[in-house]
Structures are given as C-alpha cells and as structure tokens.
Amino acid sequence: MLETIKELDENLLIYLNGLGSETYDKLWLIITNQLYWTPFFLLLFYLIYKKIGGKQTLYLLLFIAVLIAFTDQTCNLFKHIFQRLRPCNDPEVNTIIRVVQVRKSFSFFSGHAANTMAVATFLFWVLRRYFKYIGFLFLWPLIFAYSRIYLGLHFPGDILAGYFFGALFGSLIYLVYRKLKPQYFPE
C-alpha cells in the first residue's frame, strides 16, 4: 500500500513538474520567495484593519504569529522524524524531473504548504463574516505550494500533508481565538 502511494506521488510529481519550462522558471522562483508576497500581505492587513480596527488587527497578528511558529516547528519535527529526501535530492527522481532549485533540508511535510494553509484557514474563519469573497484567499496556498513542486523541492504528498496540518492547526487556533476574543473585544 505505501509503495503504491509513493509511486503515485512520484508519478504526480513528474507530471506536474514536467509542465514547467525555462521560460517560466524566474516567475516561479519569485512566487516561491515569501518576500515577494509582502505587498499582498500589506494589502490584506490594510483591508482587515479597515474592517476590524487597529487593536483587533494586532490581536489577530498575535494569533497568526503563534500559528506560524507552532506550524513551522511541528513541520520541522516531522521532517526530522521522517527524513524524506526532497525530490531535488532523491536519486530515484532527480534525474527525471526539472530541478530548478535545490535545498538540503528534508521534504515531509511542506512548511510552505502548512504555513500558508494554516494562515489562510485561520483568516477565512475569522473574516468570513466581513468579506464576501474571502474564499479566494485559498488561491494563495495553492499557488505558493505549486511553486514547490514546480521547482523540484516537494512531492505532491508533502504538499497535501502540509495542507492537512495547516488547515487543522488554522482551525484549532481559530477556536482558541474565538473563545478568547470576547474577553478582550466584547461585541
């Protein structure tokens, strides 16, 4: 069973990674760099600030910081436990795929996928009553995580596991946020 899943994961990686071309490599290197997402984050938090005010936005940022720290450390723990090679370092696939970028750390599960999905899930739950189209926020983790496959840094299974843990942690932190919010910001 695990061999079948591993084979499916490798085949899906080969297919998705193979959709790329040198023409778009620079674009995907920009997309995968968190620094280039700064204007998006600033716009997002400006819109949040306009809807809920400064104090609540700071409170929200505190929860996001805790969420990212928790998700990131859990991801690193899993990476050290499973020690799965990244596709760019895996001799079974690295000669078949397009390796655009190389990292030496382990692959399972994707911290990029987990962190972005955790934040998107948390913000979705918090902001759904304020923004009609907040569901579009989930495009961010989808695009961001695909960049990791495109560059040869993660298997699709790493991304899916990261999404699962991110959505789980984002939802759990939202429950804590919802429980504590009335103490600091009564309606």
Side-chain angles (χ1 to χ4, degrees):
M1 172 88 170
L2 285 177
E3 275 303 312
T4 304
I5 292 171
K6 183 180 178 208
E7 186 178 331
L8 286 171
D9 201 23
E10 288 174 357
N11 289 336
L12 187 56
L13 167 74
I14 292 165
Y15 174 74
L16 292 172
N17 175 270
L19 295 174
S21 72
E22 284 185 41
T23 307
Y24 299 107
D25 288 354
K26 287 182 180 158
L27 171 67
W28 288 101
L29 285 166
I30 289 170
I31 288 171
T32 204
N33 188 331
Q34 296 164 342
L35 183 63
Y36 291 110
W37 287 87
T38 303
F40 170 72
F41 300 139
L42 292 175
L43 173 64
L44 183 62
F45 284 106
Y46 173 75
L47 294 172
I48 292 169
Y49 167 78
K50 294 302 277 180
K51 283 287 184 185
I52 65 175
K55 287 183 181 179
Q56 284 190 55
T57 301
L58 289 174
Y59 184 66
L60 194 73
L61 286 171
L62 172 67
F63 274 85
I64 290 172
V66 169
L67 176 61
I68 290 173
F70 183 71
T71 305
D72 205 50
Q73 292 309 306
T74 303
C75 174
N76 287 333
L77 176 68
F78 272 72
K79 284 182 179 184
H80 285 38
I81 289 171
F82 288 99
Q83 297 187 0
R84 182 181 195 189
L85 294 176
R86 290 181 181 270
C88 59
N89 300 322
D90 188 336
E92 290 183 32
V93 295
N94 69 357
T95 57
I96 302 169
I97 64 170
R98 298 178 67 255
V99 175
V100 181
Q101 197 172 51
V102 176
R103 290 283 192 309
K104 296 296 180 192
S105 58
F106 295 114
S107 186
F108 184 80
F109 54 88
S110 168
H112 283 78
N115 287 335
T116 56
M117 185 58 83
V119 172
T121 301
F122 174 72
L123 288 176
F124 172 79
W125 288 121
V126 172
L127 301 173
R128 63 190 168 154
R129 71 180 201 175
Y130 299 107
F131 297 100
K132 184 176 183 179
Y133 298 106
I134 193 68
F136 283 112
L137 184 61
F138 288 105
L139 289 174
W140 165 47
L142 290 173
I143 294 167
F144 198 53
Y146 176 73
S147 74
R148 312 305 285 170
I149 294 170
Y150 181 99
L151 298 172
L153 295 171
H154 281 293
F155 290 96
D158 303 335
I159 301 296
L160 292 175
Y163 281 162
F164 172 77
F165 280 96
L168 177 67
F169 293 154
S171 296
L172 291 174
I173 290 293
Y174 168 72
L175 293 175
V176 174
Y177 170 87
R178 191 176 74 182
K179 182 150 178 72
L180 294 177
K181 186 181 175 238
Q183 294 175 18
Y184 301 101
F185 300 100
E187 299 275 334

